[in-house]
């Protein structure tokens, strides 16, 4: 039981590049979500999903896309990376919206 | 205005001493409140969860309190250890939509 696995742990992108942050959980949790964490700010919700095939926008969705084709996976796509997207990204999952388990994070730098 | 306010923003304490972290929230309707510990470079890890009817919950040297009437919670760390150095995040979950509201965290540094 690995919990929530995020890859990669570190990434450097050039402005305008695209990439996908991977998130996988093996706990059969219905709820999954993506957050970004910036210095001096609390975690902010980017996108979330309450089940396979269902996604919705969070607080700061612009510049990001998600999909949820399976219960286990919830990838986050950066369409055209910008320096403002430099941040630490956390994926989290929960059985029914309670007791969220967080991944270890992806530290992204956009230059 | 942030729905979850934590204080103090940061504090330094001597190893072996106690400390108390505060969390005030305006989230409504309320479902439950959680305290998470986040070590540097790691994801948050749940310490306690408290529902509306619970006033106190302990997890080892960590004791959380909740006053749902005044919308206040505290996290008390007893006999602090160097490994307690971390950010402690208060998270309040809304009833119904299960949305999470995060505080900015209390940064605790324990020194020998």
């Amino acid at each position: 039981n690995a919990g929530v696995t995020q890859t990669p742990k570190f990434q450097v992108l050039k402005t305008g590049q695209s990439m996908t942050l991977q998130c996988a959980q093996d706990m059969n949790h219905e709820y999954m979500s993506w957050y970004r964490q910036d210095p001096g700010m609390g975690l902010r919700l980017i996108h979330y999903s309450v089940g396979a095939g269902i996604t919705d926008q969070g607080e700061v969705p612009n510049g990001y896309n998600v999909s949820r084709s399976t219960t286990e996976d919830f990838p986050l796509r950066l369409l055209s990376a910008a320096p403002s997207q430099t941040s630490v990204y956390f994926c989290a999952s929960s059985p029914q919206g309670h007791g969220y388990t967080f991944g270890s994070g992806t530290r992204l730098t956009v230059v | 205005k942030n729905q979850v306010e934590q204080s103090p923003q940061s504090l330094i304490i001597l190893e072996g001493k106690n400390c108390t972290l505060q969390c005030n929230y305006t989230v409504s309707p309320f479902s439950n409140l959680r305290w998470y510990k986040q070590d540097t470079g790691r994801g948050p890890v749940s310490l306690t969860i408290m529902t509306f009817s619970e006033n106190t919950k302990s997890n080892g040297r960590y004791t959380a309190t909740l006053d749902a009437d005044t919308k206040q919670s505290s996290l008390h760390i007893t006999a602090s250890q160097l490994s307690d150095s971390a950010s402690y995040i208060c998270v309040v979950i809304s009833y119904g939509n299960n949305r999470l509201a995060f505080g900015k965290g209390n940064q605790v540094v324990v020194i020998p």
Side-chain angles (χ1 to χ4, degrees):
Chain A
N1 189 332
V4 178
T5 303
Q6 289 185 238
T7 56
K9 293 190 183 302
F10 301 94
Q11 183 70 50
V12 178
L13 289 178
K14 293 182 179 179
T15 297
Q17 285 185 315
S18 62
M19 79 158 295
T20 299
L21 307 185
Q22 301 292 342
C23 176
Q25 53 94 5
D26 60 0
M27 299 172 284
N28 201 32
H29 286 173
E30 289 296 320
Y31 283 62
M32 294 187 75
S33 51
W34 276 102
Y35 299 87
R36 60 178 289 173
Q37 187 174 41
D38 300 295
M41 305 185 73
L43 285 140
R44 292 183 291 169
L45 180 65
I46 304 171
H47 286 284
Y48 66 99
S49 168
V50 298
I54 306 170
T55 63
D56 206 344
Q57 295 182 349
E59 183 184 353
V60 287
N62 292 340
Y64 308 94
N65 273 358
V66 292
S67 61
R68 185 92 181 272
S69 56
T70 66
T71 299
E72 294 77 19
D73 300 299
F74 191 43
L76 177 72
R77 298 184 189 84
L78 279 71
L79 308 173
S80 177
S84 61
Q85 293 179 305
T86 293
S87 187
V88 181
Y89 292 84
F90 289 99
C91 178
S93 74
S94 170
Q96 287 181 344
H98 302 281
Y100 277 87
T101 300
F102 286 83
S104 56
T106 295
R107 186 173 295 273
L108 176 68
T109 301
V110 183
V111 297
Chain B
K1 186 175 174 1
N2 199 18
Q3 290 186 295
V4 180
E5 297 286 349
Q6 293 187 240
S7 63
Q9 183 177 356
S10 61
L11 74 161
I12 301 172
I13 58 174
L14 290 174
E15 186 179 12
K17 298 296 186 182
N18 304 334
C19 72
T20 300
L21 313 176
Q22 299 291 342
C23 173
N24 297 339
Y25 63 92
T26 59
V27 173
S28 182
F30 171 86
S31 174
N32 60 88
L33 182 148
R34 297 166 185 271
W35 283 93
Y36 282 83
K37 179 186 179 189
Q38 184 176 22
D39 294 312
T40 301
R42 310 293 293 271
V45 175
S46 181
L47 290 176
T48 62
I49 171 176
M50 303 185 72
T51 58
F52 185 87
S53 59
E54 295 176 304
N55 300 118
T56 304
K57 184 74 69 76
S58 291
N59 178 359
R61 294 179 296 101
Y62 300 102
T63 299
T65 66
L66 173 65
D67 186 333
D69 291 330
T70 62
K71 298 187 176 182
Q72 295 179 323
S73 176
S74 67
L75 181 69
H76 186 77
I77 305 175
T78 303
S80 60
Q81 300 177 358
L82 297 179
S83 59
D84 293 330
S85 294
S87 178
Y88 293 84
I89 303 172
C90 177
V91 183
V92 183
I93 294 89
S94 302
Y95 179 81
N97 61 15
N98 289 322
R99 283 291 188 99
L100 277 66
F102 291 87
K104 295 181 181 180
N106 305 102
Q107 188 67 45
V108 175
V109 176
V110 181
I111 59 176

